[in-house]
Amino acid sequence: QKELEDLKNEGDAKVEETLRVKQAELENLRRESESSIETLSANFKSTEQILNQRHTEEVKEQSSRIMQLEEEQKIAKLEYETRIEEVKQKIEVRKLSKSEFETLYSVFKGKAINADVSCKITLDMNDPKDRELIKSLYKLRLPTINRIMINHINVDDEDVKQFLSHSIPDQLGCLLFNYETTHHLDLAN
């Protein structure tokens, strides 16, 4: 019985020793697992930060590129508008002969004139016929006449600006407008 008891005690000791070893191994595995999880979590966070940083940098680069393209588009538009304006300016201003102007005047005003050096014309910008006459004279210079009087000019009247820029004859005795109205003076200048 003593032998049996010793064998039992010896078996219990071996089981306890095996249990302790297995518990220690289990504890080591748990610690290693936690360490691996922490390492994986840290790696994931690091990778996530790197990806977020790359994404942020890509977004910044794309935003910068968009702004650069918008600026290039503005410059291209300005260049286009400048070229259009240059083309408009290159359109030659042709001087009308006396008879050509008399014919145009007669068509628009419904009355004949003698467009010589003593000729005096009056243009009323409230009269649609007069407005159409000056529009038809775009890039056409009038023959030498004595006087042009322009009435009822509106602020920033493009038709009058074009007429004054291109159609006034090389020799003109007098240009009349309402000199008391500031915008008329600006247009004349």
Side-chain angles (χ1 to χ4, degrees):
Q1 199 160 23
K2 181 140 178 105
E3 230 178 89
L4 201 54
E5 181 93 15
D6 286 340
L7 277 173
K8 181 182 172 208
N9 285 340
E10 191 180 315
D12 284 345
K14 283 184 181 181
V15 166
E16 281 180 24
E17 180 64 27
T18 304
L19 189 58
R20 231 178 313 144
V21 169
K22 293 297 179 186
Q23 282 179 341
E25 287 176 4
L26 188 60
E27 184 63 26
N28 284 338
L29 280 173
R30 187 184 62 76
R31 282 187 202 134
E32 286 176 11
S33 294
E34 286 177 356
S35 176
S36 293
I37 289 171
E38 287 175 6
T39 302
L40 287 172
S41 178
N43 287 343
F44 176 77
K45 287 180 182 177
S46 175
T47 303
E48 184 180 34
Q49 287 175 344
I50 290 170
L51 289 174
N52 283 340
Q53 184 178 3
R54 285 181 187 165
H55 178 71
T56 302
E57 289 171 1
E58 287 173 2
V59 168
K60 285 180 182 178
E61 286 175 13
Q62 288 174 352
S63 294
S64 175
R65 181 67 179 140
I66 288 170
M67 290 179 6
Q68 180 183 1
L69 288 171
E70 287 174 346
E71 188 63 28
E72 288 173 6
Q73 183 181 19
K74 286 178 187 176
I75 291 170
K77 184 177 179 183
L78 282 173
E79 288 174 356
Y80 172 77
E81 289 172 354
T82 302
R83 287 184 188 143
I84 292 293
E85 193 58 37
E86 287 172 358
V87 167
K88 284 182 182 177
Q89 294 299 325
K90 287 180 181 178
I91 297 173
E92 244 180 78
V93 176
R94 183 174 72 81
K95 185 174 180 177
L96 287 173
S97 69
K98 177 182 178 299
S99 63
E100 288 173 324
F101 178 62
E102 290 170 346
T103 303
L104 266 175
Y105 190 88
S106 173
V107 166
F108 284 97
K109 297 282 276 183
K111 57 184 175 183
I113 62 163
N114 182 13
D116 61 10
V117 291
S118 64
C119 178
K120 299 173 183 178
I121 62 169
T122 300
L123 302 168
D124 182 349
M125 293 301 93
N126 288 337
D127 183 344
K129 291 179 182 178
D130 286 356
R131 185 163 296 280
E132 287 303 314
L133 174 62
I134 68 164
K135 284 181 180 180
S136 72
L137 294 171
Y138 180 71
K139 296 289 185 179
L140 298 173
R141 189 166 308 282
L142 296 176
T144 301
I145 58 176
N146 185 36
R147 182 183 82 178
I148 299 174
M149 184 162 79
I150 306 173
N151 296 323
H152 303 109
I153 304 171
N154 293 322
V155 177
D156 294 327
D157 189 324
E158 284 299 317
D159 296 332
V160 174
K161 284 182 182 180
Q162 291 299 322
F163 176 77
L164 292 172
S165 296
H166 303 291
S167 300
I168 297 297
D170 296 330
Q171 294 180 348
L172 177 67
C174 185
L175 172 64
L176 299 173
F177 55 91
N178 184 352
Y179 59 87
E180 292 178 4
T181 306
T182 305
H183 71 271
H184 290 196
L185 184 58
D186 291 341
L187 277 172
N189 286 336

